[in-house]
Amino acid sequence: MKKYLPTKTKKLTGILKLLCCLCFLLLPRYSLAQALDVEDCTHKFFETVTDKNLDKLSTLLAPDFMLTGMDGRTMDGESFVRNIKEGYISVESGIIDGIRTKNYSDVSIVMGRWNVRATVANSRYFGEVTFLAVCVKMGGQWKISTIQFTPIL
């Protein structure tokens, strides 16, 4: 009976190791895929703002979208889209860098830097800002619920 117990224990240990390896291999892929989807949504946001593609931009914004600008003022999604359409906000160019993502199932936080050339209310701005976006998964698609910009001085 003593000889049978160690063999059974070895098999059980082997099965547990196999399960741990499978979990280790499968879980990061899910997180990486999720992070890429969120980052893609964030990149598309900046791309559509720069290209003034308002139809696409509207599909990326959550119904409760709120933007906090570099001056601390807030703007809802409808106002944001209207201000781009009317030329109050105009982004000439921008480069995103240093993106970091934190995933919490159907909510993700995306942080990064945006080197941007823009005009807001007839005031030109050229420089680097940090951004923090809260993204939510709605109907299987990632949308931006909130984004905040802070100038780097």
Side-chain angles (χ1 to χ4, degrees):
M1 187 128 189
K2 287 184 179 180
K3 289 183 179 181
Y4 183 71
L5 186 59
T7 305
K8 190 174 187 180
T9 304
K10 286 181 183 179
K11 285 182 181 179
L12 184 59
T13 304
I15 291 171
L16 287 174
K17 285 181 181 178
L18 179 63
L19 287 174
C20 287
C21 288
L22 286 174
C23 288
F24 180 75
L25 291 173
L26 294 176
L27 288 178
R29 287 187 182 169
Y30 171 75
S31 295
L32 180 59
Q34 186 177 20
L36 290 176
D37 289 343
V38 172
E39 287 182 22
D40 188 46
C41 176
T42 306
H43 278 282
K44 285 180 182 174
F45 169 82
F46 287 104
E47 183 180 298
T48 57
V49 168
T50 304
D51 295 344
K52 297 170 188 60
N53 184 344
L54 303 181
D55 292 332
K56 180 69 174 172
L57 177 61
S58 295
T59 67
L60 297 172
L61 304 181
D64 63 346
F65 175 83
M66 187 65 62
L67 178 141
T68 303
M70 293 184 293
D71 60 358
R73 295 183 187 181
T74 59
M75 185 182 311
D76 64 24
E78 189 177 305
S79 300
F80 180 58
V81 172
R82 184 178 63 248
N83 284 328
I84 293 172
K85 182 179 182 179
E86 294 173 359
Y88 182 78
I89 299 171
S90 178
V91 177
E92 297 168 34
S93 63
I95 299 171
I96 297 172
D97 187 30
I99 285 191
R100 293 174 309 202
T101 305
K102 296 183 181 231
N103 297 310
Y104 304 99
S105 189
D106 289 345
V107 177
S108 289
I109 298 170
V110 181
M111 300 157 286
R113 293 182 308 278
W114 189 30
N115 195 334
V116 63
R117 182 183 304 261
T119 304
V120 178
N122 295 321
S123 295
R124 294 187 48 78
Y125 179 82
F126 176 72
E128 194 170 31
V129 298
T130 59
F131 68 87
L132 183 130
V134 177
C135 303
V136 294
K137 201 168 207 178
M138 303 176 79
Q141 299 293 317
W142 284 102
K143 297 190 180 276
I144 296 182
S145 178
T146 302
I147 192 160
Q148 178 176 344
F149 297 101
T150 306
I152 297 175
L153 303 175

